[in-house]
Amino acid sequence: MFCGKSLVNNFYKYKRKVWQNVIPIAQRCKGTYHPPKILFFGTDNFSLPSLQALHKNCGDRLGVVTSFKSPANCVRTYAEKEKLPLQKWPIDPSVCPQFDLGVVVSFGHLIPANIINGFPHGMINVHASLLPKWRGAAPIIYAIMKGDASTGVSIMKIEPHRFDIGDILAQREMDIKPDIFMPDLHASLASLGADLLVDTVNNLSVRLKEAKPQDSTRASYAPKITSKITEIIWSELSAFEIYTRYRALYGYKNLTTSFLGKQVQLLELRLPEKGVPVQEPGAISYLRKSRSLIIGCAQQSQLEVLQIRVEGRKPMSAQDFNNGFLKQARSLSFTENKLAAI
């Protein structure tokens, strides 16, 4: 018993001695390490978590470039609040050599070669996809819209003249939940990108040395969203495809169609429960039990709509639409009681 107690005491003495030796070493290492001095380029709420993470990691070794359009974006607001050095885009290239590295996150501008080459370590970018998949302005939207099971973030080197083609420094993957909406995935990827960015910055020399070129033969593209993506062609898209597109664009753009010559925005919709009568594409009926509109889609599928906005009107419930516009349509021919396949 005494022997056992002695062994325990000796163990804890040894443990304390080890930590007494380790802690000063760690403190010395911490004292000599300085993260690179960074000039950050960003404009929106995807940029902000990365800026906040870099600020926590780099302290006063950080400057910010953003647009000065009114009203002020969240990046500018944060920089002003935290009293970070702030510059208006476009910047003078002579500023770049004052920093070690340029970091771009959701900036929206093609960076000129003289800016990229002005930083001793060049520039890196946080992109919201596993490159070379979904190069372009809308990778999160396309990942949901095309039914991807997973996505992620990439840290890449920025090259002149073209977006999203640079060597990959780091990547991190995450699953896409089958019912996720774009703002939730956007927030998750922004946070994931911020964490990976800090890890990359703190291991910059290794990451740059081990950077790998993209395989352009595997590239896919996510171009800027236009009104064409929002227009529903009822005879071509199934209810599931329309609902997936609704989740992909949620909070950014509304799906659109037309009725009696007016544009209609679909504000709230879902896939209906089983047992809903099959209708031809574009045909509309009102389901009294759920107070919703049932619209026929391709592949003999149906979509349930709960709220819409008719051109020139405020948002209205499906019930209000039924009591107004649908009753008007019923007084016409059956073919008018359809949403146009625009």
Side-chain angles (χ1 to χ4, degrees), residues 272-286:
E273 296 179 359
K274 293 181 179 180
V276 175
V278 175
Q279 301 180 116
E280 63 177 301
I284 320 167
S285 63
Y286 179 67

Side-chain angles (χ1 to χ4, degrees), residues 46 50 103-106 124-140 151-158 163-166 168 170-172 189-190 192-194 196-197 214 220-223:
F46 189 85
S50 287
V103 171
V104 177
V105 186
S106 194
I124 62 174
N125 171 240
V126 180
H127 184 79
S129 79
L130 298 174
L131 292 168
K133 192 169 189 177
W134 302 133
R135 292 174 174 174
I140 301 174
T151 185
V153 289
S154 302
I155 311 291
M156 67 167 188
K157 292 174 66 176
I158 291 182
F163 285 111
D164 306 333
I165 62 166
I168 303 296
Q171 289 185 318
R172 195 167 289 173
L189 288 171
L192 188 69
L196 187 59
L197 176 61
Q214 296 184 40
S220 58
Y221 296 90

